[in-house]
Amino acid sequence: MSTGVIIALIVIVAVVVAVAAVLAVRARGSAHGGPSLKRRFGPEYDRAVARHDGDVKAAERELGGLVERHGGLKERPLEPAERERFEARWAAAQERFVDSPREAVAEADRILADAAGARGYPDGGRYDEQVAALAVHHADHVQGYRHVHHVTRFHQDGGARGGEAPGTEDLRAAMVEARALLDDLVGEGHHRAPTTRPAEDRQTAGRHEGRSGFHLPGLHRHQTKQG
Protein backbone atom coordinates (compact mmCIF):
# COMPACT_ATOMS: atom_id res chain seq x y z
CA MET A 1 0.00 0.00 0.00
CA SER A 2 1.44 3.33 -1.06
CA THR A 3 2.16 6.19 1.32
CA GLY A 4 -0.46 8.34 -0.42
CA VAL A 5 -3.21 5.79 0.18
CA ILE A 6 -2.26 5.46 3.84
CA ILE A 7 -2.38 9.22 4.29
CA ALA A 8 -5.77 9.38 2.58
CA LEU A 9 -7.17 6.67 4.88
CA ILE A 10 -5.87 8.49 7.95
CA VAL A 11 -7.53 11.72 6.81
CA ILE A 12 -10.84 9.93 6.18
CA VAL A 13 -10.79 8.28 9.60
CA ALA A 14 -10.00 11.62 11.26
CA VAL A 15 -12.91 13.29 9.48
CA VAL A 16 -15.31 10.51 10.48
CA VAL A 17 -14.22 10.75 14.12
CA ALA A 18 -14.62 14.54 14.10
CA VAL A 19 -18.11 14.35 12.60
CA ALA A 20 -19.15 11.71 15.14
CA ALA A 21 -17.89 13.90 17.99
CA VAL A 22 -19.84 16.92 16.73
CA LEU A 23 -23.02 14.86 16.38
CA ALA A 24 -22.57 13.45 19.89
CA VAL A 25 -22.17 16.94 21.38
CA ARG A 26 -25.25 18.16 19.55
CA ALA A 27 -27.26 15.17 20.68
CA ARG A 28 -26.22 15.72 24.28
CA GLY A 29 -27.14 19.39 24.07
CA SER A 30 -30.52 18.52 22.64
CA ALA A 31 -31.18 16.00 25.43
CA HIS A 32 -30.40 18.57 28.13
CA GLY A 33 -31.93 21.62 26.47
CA GLY A 34 -35.33 23.04 25.71
CA PRO A 35 -38.25 21.48 27.61
CA SER A 36 -35.90 19.34 29.71
CA LEU A 37 -34.07 22.37 31.10
CA LYS A 38 -37.30 24.26 31.60
CA ARG A 39 -38.77 21.41 33.62
CA ARG A 40 -35.63 21.03 35.69
CA PHE A 41 -35.05 24.69 36.49
CA GLY A 42 -38.61 26.03 36.65
CA PRO A 43 -38.41 29.67 37.83
CA GLU A 44 -34.63 29.66 37.41
CA TYR A 45 -35.14 29.06 33.68
CA ASP A 46 -37.25 32.21 33.39
CA ARG A 47 -34.69 34.21 35.40
CA ALA A 48 -31.89 33.02 33.12
CA VAL A 49 -33.83 34.06 30.02
CA ALA A 50 -34.48 37.47 31.60
CA ARG A 51 -30.76 37.87 32.46
CA HIS A 52 -29.95 37.26 28.81
CA ASP A 53 -32.57 39.76 27.59
CA GLY A 54 -34.81 37.08 26.17
CA ASP A 55 -32.06 35.12 24.42
CA VAL A 56 -33.28 31.58 25.10
CA LYS A 57 -30.25 29.88 23.54
CA ALA A 58 -27.83 31.89 25.68
CA ALA A 59 -29.88 31.12 28.79
CA GLU A 60 -29.92 27.40 27.99
CA ARG A 61 -26.15 27.41 27.42
CA GLU A 62 -25.74 28.93 30.88
CA LEU A 63 -28.09 26.44 32.54
CA GLY A 64 -26.62 23.53 30.63
CA GLY A 65 -23.20 24.56 31.91
CA LEU A 66 -24.53 24.52 35.48
CA VAL A 67 -25.82 20.98 34.99
CA GLU A 68 -22.45 19.93 33.60
CA ARG A 69 -20.62 21.37 36.63
CA HIS A 70 -23.00 20.50 39.44
CA GLY A 71 -25.49 17.93 38.19
CA GLY A 72 -23.47 15.05 39.61
CA LEU A 73 -23.33 16.49 43.13
CA LYS A 74 -24.63 14.05 45.73
CA GLU A 75 -26.18 15.63 48.81
CA ARG A 76 -24.86 14.35 52.11
CA PRO A 77 -27.62 13.31 54.52
CA LEU A 78 -27.75 15.21 57.79
CA GLU A 79 -27.77 13.52 61.14
CA PRO A 80 -30.81 14.29 63.32
CA ALA A 81 -28.62 16.32 65.68
CA GLU A 82 -27.40 18.45 62.78
CA ARG A 83 -30.94 19.13 61.62
CA GLU A 84 -31.94 20.12 65.13
CA ARG A 85 -29.02 22.55 65.39
CA PHE A 86 -30.00 24.29 62.17
CA GLU A 87 -33.64 24.40 63.24
CA ALA A 88 -32.63 25.88 66.60
CA ARG A 89 -30.45 28.52 64.93
CA TRP A 90 -33.30 29.51 62.64
CA ALA A 91 -35.78 29.70 65.52
CA ALA A 92 -33.36 31.97 67.39
CA ALA A 93 -32.97 34.20 64.32
CA GLN A 94 -36.73 34.30 63.96
CA GLU A 95 -37.15 35.46 67.54
CA ARG A 96 -34.36 37.99 67.09
CA PHE A 97 -36.23 39.59 64.22
CA VAL A 98 -38.53 41.31 66.73
CA ASP A 99 -35.83 43.70 67.92
CA SER A 100 -33.08 43.36 65.29
CA PRO A 101 -34.48 42.49 61.86
CA ARG A 102 -31.25 43.26 59.99
CA GLU A 103 -29.18 41.03 62.24
CA ALA A 104 -31.80 38.28 61.96
CA VAL A 105 -31.66 38.34 58.17
CA ALA A 106 -27.85 38.30 58.26
CA GLU A 107 -28.00 35.23 60.48
CA ALA A 108 -30.47 33.60 58.08
CA ASP A 109 -27.93 34.17 55.32
CA ARG A 110 -25.23 32.44 57.41
CA ILE A 111 -27.53 29.56 58.34
CA LEU A 112 -28.34 28.80 54.70
CA ALA A 113 -24.67 28.97 53.76
CA ASP A 114 -23.76 26.58 56.57
CA ALA A 115 -26.65 24.21 55.86
CA ALA A 116 -25.77 24.02 52.18
CA GLY A 117 -22.13 23.36 53.05
CA ALA A 118 -23.17 20.61 55.45
CA ARG A 119 -25.17 18.95 52.68
CA GLY A 120 -22.10 18.80 50.44
CA TYR A 121 -22.42 21.98 48.40
CA PRO A 122 -19.48 24.37 47.92
CA ASP A 123 -18.83 26.20 51.19
CA GLY A 124 -20.37 29.59 51.91
CA GLY A 125 -17.09 31.37 51.27
CA ARG A 126 -17.73 30.66 47.58
CA TYR A 127 -21.20 32.16 47.48
CA ASP A 128 -21.58 32.35 43.69
CA GLU A 129 -20.52 28.75 43.20
CA GLN A 130 -22.70 27.59 46.09
CA VAL A 131 -25.77 29.33 44.65
CA ALA A 132 -25.04 27.91 41.20
CA ALA A 133 -25.01 24.38 42.61
CA LEU A 134 -28.16 25.02 44.64
CA ALA A 135 -29.88 26.33 41.51
CA VAL A 136 -29.36 22.93 39.88
CA HIS A 137 -30.78 20.91 42.78
CA HIS A 138 -33.14 23.37 44.50
CA ALA A 139 -34.27 25.61 41.67
CA ASP A 140 -37.68 26.31 43.19
CA HIS A 141 -36.30 27.89 46.37
CA VAL A 142 -32.76 29.12 45.74
CA GLN A 143 -34.04 32.64 45.09
CA GLY A 144 -34.81 32.98 48.78
CA TYR A 145 -31.11 32.56 49.56
CA ARG A 146 -30.24 35.24 47.01
CA HIS A 147 -32.79 37.53 48.62
CA VAL A 148 -31.41 37.35 52.17
CA HIS A 149 -27.83 37.53 50.87
CA HIS A 150 -28.60 40.63 48.83
CA VAL A 151 -30.28 42.35 51.77
CA THR A 152 -27.37 41.42 54.04
CA ARG A 153 -24.78 42.73 51.57
CA PHE A 154 -26.75 45.95 51.15
CA HIS A 155 -26.47 46.73 54.84
CA GLN A 156 -22.86 45.53 55.09
CA ASP A 157 -21.90 47.85 52.24
CA GLY A 158 -23.84 50.73 53.75
CA GLY A 159 -25.98 50.99 50.63
CA ALA A 160 -22.90 51.76 48.50
CA ARG A 161 -24.36 49.85 45.57
CA GLY A 162 -27.33 52.18 45.42
CA GLY A 163 -31.02 51.52 45.64
CA GLU A 164 -33.54 52.01 48.40
CA ALA A 165 -32.82 50.49 51.80
CA PRO A 166 -35.04 47.44 52.49
CA GLY A 167 -37.80 48.16 54.99
CA THR A 168 -39.02 45.86 57.74
CA GLU A 169 -41.57 44.23 55.45
CA ASP A 170 -38.87 43.59 52.84
CA LEU A 171 -36.74 41.93 55.51
CA ARG A 172 -39.68 39.83 56.66
CA ALA A 173 -40.37 38.76 53.07
CA ALA A 174 -36.73 37.76 52.67
CA MET A 175 -36.90 35.56 55.76
CA VAL A 176 -40.14 33.95 54.60
CA GLU A 177 -38.71 33.19 51.17
CA ALA A 178 -35.45 31.85 52.58
CA ARG A 179 -37.26 29.49 54.96
CA ALA A 180 -38.42 27.37 52.03
CA LEU A 181 -34.82 26.58 51.07
CA LEU A 182 -33.95 25.74 54.67
CA ASP A 183 -36.85 23.27 54.67
CA ASP A 184 -35.40 21.68 51.53
CA LEU A 185 -31.90 21.44 52.98
CA VAL A 186 -32.64 20.60 56.60
CA GLY A 187 -36.23 19.53 57.01
CA GLU A 188 -36.36 17.60 53.73
CA GLY A 189 -39.82 19.01 53.14
CA HIS A 190 -41.09 18.05 56.59
CA HIS A 191 -40.59 21.23 58.59
CA ARG A 192 -41.93 21.25 62.12
CA ALA A 193 -43.40 24.57 63.15
CA PRO A 194 -41.82 26.23 66.22
CA THR A 195 -43.51 25.04 69.39
CA THR A 196 -43.21 28.31 71.30
CA ARG A 197 -44.48 31.78 70.49
CA PRO A 198 -45.05 34.89 72.54
CA ALA A 199 -48.58 34.98 73.90
CA GLU A 200 -49.61 38.02 71.87
CA ASP A 201 -48.10 36.44 68.78
CA ARG A 202 -50.18 33.29 69.17
CA GLN A 203 -53.36 35.37 69.33
CA THR A 204 -52.65 37.22 66.06
CA ALA A 205 -50.59 34.68 64.15
CA GLY A 206 -53.15 34.22 61.43
CA ARG A 207 -52.85 37.86 60.38
CA HIS A 208 -49.20 37.60 59.44
CA GLU A 209 -48.61 34.15 58.00
CA GLY A 210 -46.32 34.17 54.98
CA ARG A 211 -47.00 32.21 51.84
CA SER A 212 -44.69 29.43 52.96
CA GLY A 213 -46.38 29.13 56.36
CA PHE A 214 -43.44 30.76 58.13
CA HIS A 215 -44.32 33.50 60.62
CA LEU A 216 -42.04 36.17 61.98
CA PRO A 217 -43.06 37.00 65.53
CA GLY A 218 -43.51 40.51 66.72
CA LEU A 219 -44.05 42.42 63.49
CA HIS A 220 -47.52 43.34 64.65
CA ARG A 221 -45.95 45.06 67.66
CA HIS A 222 -44.78 47.79 65.32
CA GLN A 223 -48.27 48.31 63.92
CA THR A 224 -51.05 50.40 65.40
CA LYS A 225 -53.94 48.36 66.71
CA GLN A 226 -57.22 48.98 64.98
CA GLY A 227 -60.51 49.01 66.87
Side-chain angles (χ1 to χ4, degrees), residues 80-136:
E82 291 178 293
R83 287 199 292 270
E84 289 175 6
R85 281 196 294 271
F86 284 119
E87 290 279 4
R89 285 179 62 186
W90 190 275
Q94 178 177 323
E95 292 295 330
R96 190 176 185 183
F97 192 95
V98 177
D99 299 311
S100 304
R102 293 182 184 180
E103 288 78 1
V105 171
E107 174 62 6
D109 182 35
R110 289 189 291 269
I111 293 170
L112 289 177
D114 292 346
R119 292 301 305 270
Y121 290 90
D123 65 74
R126 294 182 290 159
Y127 168 77
D128 290 335
E129 197 68 8
Q130 189 180 66
V131 167
L134 286 168
V136 173

Side-chain angles (χ1 to χ4, degrees), residues 60-82:
E60 290 187 349
R61 283 196 297 271
E62 176 191 333
L63 297 176
L66 293 182
V67 174
E68 289 287 331
R69 293 206 312 272
H70 302 295
L73 186 148
K74 302 297 183 184
E75 290 184 315
R76 184 183 75 81
L78 295 181
E79 296 294 332
E82 291 178 293

